[in-house]
């Protein structure tokens, strides 16, 4: 596997660098699901903080292989992440730069590839990973307003923007809820093709329209149906349902549909 080849090379480099405390790998490496299309999710633990120095992050990354290009992960809320593309072999590699103190806070327990003095192993044995679950109230407070917004786009004939909405709502709400229902971590629509039971995947597919008004409206209705089903299954009594907003949004969708 090209990922294993890259790991062997990077270990040769970091074992000779006394500024590095350790290296771990997560993602599909942990679940033995890695294939030729998989990227690498690495955590590089350094003695001194590196993530506040962009040039130093790039310097480390360039030393690990034939570095083509990279950028930091502010777009996913993680400036400590460097998203890289390497060549020979061509491989996508995400490198998160942490100190030992920062390593305590994590969403999964990665596999340790290098641990200079056993400190990473000690942290993993003494603390627990914690994945932040979605805030159901946050979802309920936004979903129906977003439905109304998408309806406005349909009514105005801005179908391309409406199509973008469906990807957003699947990534933000429908995908995570379906993954929770299926006992998975709520990671957008990541691996829904294999992580969801077939009936659930088929319902999600019904929220993917073609570039045509009637199809977009149907997909929006299917999104509403799926959200209503999932919210009834997953939300507790503590969630304040936006019933009036939902009713008005659905009524407005009917109005726009009838205008044709």
């Amino acid at each position: 596997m090209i990922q294993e080849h890259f790991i062997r090379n990077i270990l040769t480099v970091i074992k000779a660098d006394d500024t590095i405390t350790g290296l771990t790998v997560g993602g599909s490496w942990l679940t033995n699901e890695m294939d030729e299309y998989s990227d690498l999710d690495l955590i590089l633990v350094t003695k001194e903080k590196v993530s506040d120095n962009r040039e130093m992050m790039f310097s480390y990354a360039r030393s690990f292989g034939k570095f083509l290009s990279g950028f930091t992960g502010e777009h996913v809320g993680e400036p400590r992440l460097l998203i890289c593309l390497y060549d020979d072999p061509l491989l996508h590699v995400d490198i998160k730069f942490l100190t030992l103190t920062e390593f305590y806070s994590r969403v999964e327990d990665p596999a340790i590839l290098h641990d200079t003095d056993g400190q990473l192993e000690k942290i993993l044995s003494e603390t627990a990973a914690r994945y932040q679950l979605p805030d159901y109230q946050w979802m309920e407070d936004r979903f129906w307003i977003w439905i109304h917004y998408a309806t406005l786009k349909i009514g105005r004939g801005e179908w391309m923007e409406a199509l973008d909405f469906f990807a957003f709502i699947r990534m933000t709400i429908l995908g995570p809820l379906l993954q929770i229902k299926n006992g998975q971590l709520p990671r957008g629509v990541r691996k829904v093709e294999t992580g969801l039971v077939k009936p659930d995947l088929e319902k999600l597919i019904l929220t993917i329209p073609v570039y045509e008004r009637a199809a977009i409206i149907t997909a929006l209705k299917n999104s509403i149906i799926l959200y209503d089903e999932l919210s009834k299954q997953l939300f507790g009594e503590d969630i304040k349902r936006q019933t009036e907003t939902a009713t008005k949004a659905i009524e407005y969708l009917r109005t726009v549909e009838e205008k044709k």
Side-chain angles (χ1 to χ4, degrees), residues 3 28 66 82 87 103 111 113 122 178 190 230 239 253:
Q3 297 86 355
S28 55
K66 191 173 181 180
L82 192 61
D87 200 7
F103 187 72
L113 301 174
K122 185 174 186 292
L178 282 168
R190 184 176 175 83
L230 291 168
I239 302 303
L253 175 56

Side-chain angles (χ1 to χ4, degrees), residues 20-162:
I20 295 174
T21 297
L23 178 73
T24 71
V25 60
S28 55
W29 182 285
L30 299 177
T31 56
N32 294 318
E33 296 176 303
M34 187 158 286
D35 56 31
E36 62 179 307
Y37 305 107
S38 299
D39 60 8
L40 273 176
D41 298 304
L42 301 178
I43 295 176
L44 188 73
V45 182
T46 56
K47 293 180 180 179
E48 303 295 331
K49 188 175 180 65
V50 172
S51 59
D52 58 354
N53 187 325
R54 186 176 182 274
E55 290 307 313
M56 191 172 293
M57 293 169 70
F58 274 89
S59 178
Y60 275 108
R62 291 189 183 99
S63 73
F64 296 153
K66 191 173 181 180
F67 180 86
L68 291 174
S69 186
F71 56 92
T72 48
E74 288 84 359
H75 66 292
V76 291
E78 185 49 274
R80 300 174 300 178
L81 180 68
L82 192 61
I83 299 164
C84 309
L85 187 63
Y86 288 87
D87 200 7
D88 295 332
L90 191 64
L91 181 64
H92 178 123
V93 181
D94 291 342
I95 308 172
K96 185 183 290 187
F97 293 83
L98 301 180
T99 61
L100 272 174
T101 300
E102 293 171 324
F103 187 72
Y104 279 88
S105 178
R106 59 192 187 279
V107 298
E108 65 182 3
D109 287 334
I112 296 175
L113 301 174
H114 176 68
D115 191 3
T116 302
D117 51 14
Q119 293 188 74
L120 299 185
E121 182 63 43
K122 185 174 186 292
I123 291 173
L124 292 183
S125 66
E126 294 179 350
T127 61
R130 182 174 298 175
Y131 196 93
Q132 183 67 43
L133 295 176
D135 183 334
Y136 292 155
Q137 189 65 63
W138 184 94
M139 291 181 170
E140 175 67 12
D141 291 345
R142 287 159 176 77
F143 181 79
W144 300 108
I145 296 176
W146 285 338
I147 291 295
H148 175 259
Y149 182 79
T151 305
L152 293 176
K153 298 303 176 182
I154 297 170
R156 190 177 289 155
E158 296 177 352
W159 299 348
M160 193 66 70
E161 193 164 356

Side-chain angles (χ1 to χ4, degrees), residues 150-201:
T151 305
L152 293 176
K153 298 303 176 182
I154 297 170
R156 190 177 289 155
E158 296 177 352
W159 299 348
M160 193 66 70
E161 193 164 356
L163 290 175
D164 285 346
F165 164 82
F166 288 102
F168 169 78
I169 209 73
R170 281 190 298 272
M171 178 69 70
T172 309
I173 292 185
L174 300 179
L177 290 179
L178 282 168
Q179 287 171 327
I180 291 172
K181 179 189 173 187
N182 284 264
Q184 309 290 327
L185 290 177
R187 294 177 171 173
V189 291
R190 184 176 175 83
K191 296 187 177 180
V192 292
E193 291 82 3
T194 56
L196 302 183
V197 295
K198 186 177 180 180
D200 283 344
L201 178 59

